[in-house]
Amino acid sequence: MQSSGFQMNQFGRRHHQQRQETDEFEEKVVQVNRVSKKTKGGNRMSFSALLVVGDRKGRVGVGLGKAPDTLSAIKKGARRARKHLIKVPMRNNTIPFPIVIKRGAAQVLLKPAPPGTGVIAGGAVRAVVEAAGIRDIVAKILGSSNKASNVYATFAGLQRIKRIATKIFGPDGSARRESGSGEVQKPSQPVRPEKQEPPGKAVSKQTLGKKAKK
């Protein structure tokens, strides 16, 4: 009897912790699509839901859930978003530096803004930024208008800001300063995506021979 009571207490504590975590994060459904798959027995209908989860204190995550009904798809998306949370570095309720991120056909510009500006961004970008708790920011969609692509591009931009800020300010958030100067090392220009040559573009022997003759 005592062991069963102990197990019930453990279950109650776990349930209470899970409920606190659920109440801590806010979920926002960005997009719900109906998907049809052609099978031998006919068309199989299912739904996909794209969700953004955040605590408005710097943590945010994005998840895509697929299920036969919308409710199950939303629950799966929220569960996956919680598994892929990141901590966004912020300075005075905005991002530390501007960045341009390109992911597939989507390209998004994120710029820091002075206090009182608010969130100036489109619907897809706004969902990610507000869930992270960024209050002052200016964003511009430069590429595709697809909501899912822009959500993933914005999330990738915040991930890149985290990596660069860790190198500049250190993992503890303290800025690394140059010896003899009090200026903090940080990029003055927007960080742009690196240009990559298309794969499979090989240089022929004739081209190498012409270059050698010149």
Side-chain angles (χ1 to χ4, degrees), residues 75-147:
K75 286 183 179 179
K76 279 187 179 180
R79 199 181 306 121
R80 290 179 181 176
R82 286 190 178 88
K83 288 182 180 179
H84 300 89
L85 289 171
I86 62 168
K87 182 71 175 177
V88 181
M90 288 187 285
R91 298 286 176 181
N92 299 324
N93 296 324
T94 186
I95 56 177
F97 49 83
I99 187 170
V100 178
I101 191 71
K102 188 175 186 340
R103 190 183 186 278
Q107 189 172 4
V108 178
L109 166 66
L110 302 175
K111 290 179 65 178
T117 304
V119 178
I120 303 176
V125 181
R126 178 184 289 270
V128 181
V129 168
E130 287 184 344
I134 302 173
R135 298 179 184 176
D136 303 306
I137 191 172
V138 177
K140 179 72 174 177
I141 297 173
L142 304 175
S144 172
S145 60
N146 184 272
K147 288 184 179 181

Side-chain angles (χ1 to χ4, degrees), residues 174-186:
S174 60
R176 299 179 183 177
R177 300 180 180 274
E178 298 179 358
S179 58
S181 64
E183 296 182 357
V184 180
Q185 296 181 0
K186 64 179 182 179

Side-chain angles (χ1 to χ4, degrees), residues 49 51 53 62-65 72-82:
L51 273 85
V53 174
V62 176
L64 180 68
S72 301
I74 291 171
K75 286 183 179 179
K76 279 187 179 180
R79 199 181 306 121
R80 290 179 181 176
R82 286 190 178 88

Side-chain angles (χ1 to χ4, degrees), residues 8-123:
M8 288 296 293
N9 289 335
Q10 278 190 334
F11 176 77
R13 289 175 184 174
R14 289 176 185 173
H15 181 69
H16 182 65
Q17 289 177 355
Q18 290 178 357
R19 188 174 179 181
Q20 281 185 338
E21 291 179 358
T22 305
D23 296 338
E24 183 182 1
F25 291 97
E26 294 183 5
E27 301 175 2
K28 185 167 184 181
V29 181
V30 179
Q31 191 175 11
V32 177
N33 288 332
R34 189 178 66 174
V35 183
S36 177
K37 184 179 180 181
K38 191 83 171 178
T39 60
K40 187 177 180 181
N43 293 334
R44 184 188 299 174
M45 303 297 296
S46 61
F47 294 88
S48 66
L50 180 64
L51 273 85
V52 177
V53 174
D55 61 351
R56 294 183 179 268
K57 297 178 183 178
R59 289 192 294 174
V60 65
V62 176
L64 180 68
K66 298 179 181 179
D69 59 299
T70 55
L71 186 60
S72 301
I74 291 171
K75 286 183 179 179
K76 279 187 179 180
R79 199 181 306 121
R80 290 179 181 176
R82 286 190 178 88
K83 288 182 180 179
H84 300 89
L85 289 171
I86 62 168
K87 182 71 175 177
V88 181
M90 288 187 285
R91 298 286 176 181
N92 299 324
N93 296 324
T94 186
I95 56 177
F97 49 83
I99 187 170
V100 178
I101 191 71
K102 188 175 186 340
R103 190 183 186 278
Q107 189 172 4
V108 178
L109 166 66
L110 302 175
K111 290 179 65 178
T117 304
V119 178
I120 303 176

